[in-house]
Amino acid sequence: VSPSFLVGEGAYRWAVDHGIPACPPGIMATRFSLAAFKRNKRKLELAEKVETDLMQLKKRRQSNEKENDSGTLDTVGAVVVDQEGNVAAAVSSGGLALKHPGRVGQAALYGCGCWAENTGAHTPYSTAVSTSGTCYFYKYFKKECSCALQTEDAHQALLETMQNKFIGSPFLANEDGVLGGVIVLRSCRCSAEPESSQEKPTLLVEFLWSHTTESMCVGYMSAQDGKAKTHISRLPPGAVAGQSVAIEGGVCRLESPES
């Protein structure tokens, strides 16, 4: 059986055996990323010498990550819907500072980090979800969101899911701060408004985003737009990151294409 997922030395050997040209490992690291690695490694080595308590070491490493210049390279996700109501989701990752050798991020794992499902016999709404956050968030939460969005009130469903399935998750009870963000899209066919002269059905689309981080950048556009509209969502004043939830979004209608 042909392999479906390879990493490390096995992936390298497979590529060489199949005629894929290799390149020196050194050219894969930019000057910026190499400097960031050395800087974080020095901080970690210093922390390990000074701190003996594991909890104190964990807090020091979290503080270092916030100071890391490469921290702006966060996860980028996307959710889309076409005029037929088909949905799709995608995710990429900026990676982690000082990550374990051989680590495979969520962007390379099927169903990990994003989820998309068209309407069906048991799913009246088509849903697309893309997440960013802790390991639990990647592995399980996107499916929790997709299921919750099958209820009538998408806004309330997403809020309750963030509070109960993420912040309140027993799997994350030992985390100092439960940080993550999610963008979701939901669509369904609906009849034209009663007062409307149009007879053809339209597509009702809801686009929502939610996060427990201090802020989250969101952009959205249609196929007719030349430039995306952008927005920085922030937690309410006085809210504590990792313990509070921000949620925003909107609704639009798309006309079905001409037959």
Side-chain angles (χ1 to χ4, degrees):
V1 179
S2 299
S4 58
F5 189 55
L6 296 170
V7 298
E9 183 66 19
Y12 174 78
R13 292 300 176 192
W14 188 93
V16 171
D17 291 344
H18 287 77
I20 300 175
C23 62
I27 70 171
M28 303 300 292
T30 65
R31 292 170 56 188
F32 175 81
S33 62
L34 187 60
F37 170 77
K38 291 180 178 179
R39 182 171 59 254
N40 282 289
K41 192 170 185 295
R42 286 195 298 269
K43 291 178 181 178
L44 183 59
E45 290 173 345
L46 177 62
E48 289 174 339
K49 291 179 181 179
V50 176
E51 306 291 349
T52 57
D53 184 83
L54 292 178
M55 291 303 297
Q56 289 297 321
L57 177 58
K58 180 179 179 180
K59 291 179 180 179
R60 178 68 63 86
R61 292 182 68 178
Q62 290 175 339
S63 176
N64 288 343
E65 287 181 5
K66 291 181 180 179
E67 296 173 2
N68 178 20
D69 293 340
S70 63
T72 56
L73 302 177
D74 292 331
T75 302
V76 176
V79 288
V80 297
V81 60
D82 65 13
Q83 287 183 308
E84 298 292 342
N86 300 305
V87 295
V91 67
S92 67
S93 176
L96 298 172
L98 302 177
K99 60 188 176 186
H100 192 282
R103 174 187 180 271
V104 178
Q106 80 283 1
L109 299 174
Y110 174 78
C112 188
C114 62
W115 186 265
E117 186 174 5
N118 280 341
T119 182
H122 304 290
T123 52
Y125 297 97
S126 293
T127 57
V129 181
S130 188
T131 63
S132 172
T134 66
C135 183
Y136 171 82
F137 209 56
Y138 292 142
K139 290 183 177 179
Y140 307 109
F141 187 75
K142 82 287 182 194
K143 182 60 175 175
E144 296 276 7
C145 281
S146 182
C147 293
L149 291 173
Q150 298 302 324
T151 59
E152 184 174 349
D153 190 336
H155 187 283
Q156 184 63 27
L158 180 58
L159 177 60
E160 292 178 357
T161 304
M162 288 288 288
Q163 292 174 332
N164 302 330
K165 301 294 186 178
F166 185 49
I167 292 180
S169 169
F171 298 104
L172 302 174
N174 295 325
E175 293 291 328
D176 294 332
V178 185
L179 301 176
V182 59
I183 54 175
V184 303
L185 185 148
R186 183 174 87 164
S187 68
C188 69
R189 294 274 175 206
C190 58
S191 301
E193 296 293 338
E195 64 273 11
S196 174
S197 60
Q198 297 180 346
E199 296 182 358
K200 60 183 179 181
T202 58
L203 194 67
L204 184 66
V205 178
E206 296 175 82
F207 176 48
L208 303 172
W209 54 89
S210 182
H211 57 94
T212 61
T213 53
E214 293 182 0
S215 63
M216 177 176 171
C217 184
V218 179
Y220 53 93
M221 65 186 298
S222 71
Q224 287 73 43
D225 293 332
K227 185 178 180 181
K229 298 179 178 65
T230 58
H231 170 68
I232 297 180
S233 176
R234 301 186 186 280
L235 286 177
V240 179
Q243 301 176 19
S244 306
V245 178
I247 180 170
E248 298 180 71
V251 182
C252 68
R253 289 178 181 270
L254 300 178
E255 291 186 5
S256 300
E258 297 290 345
S259 300

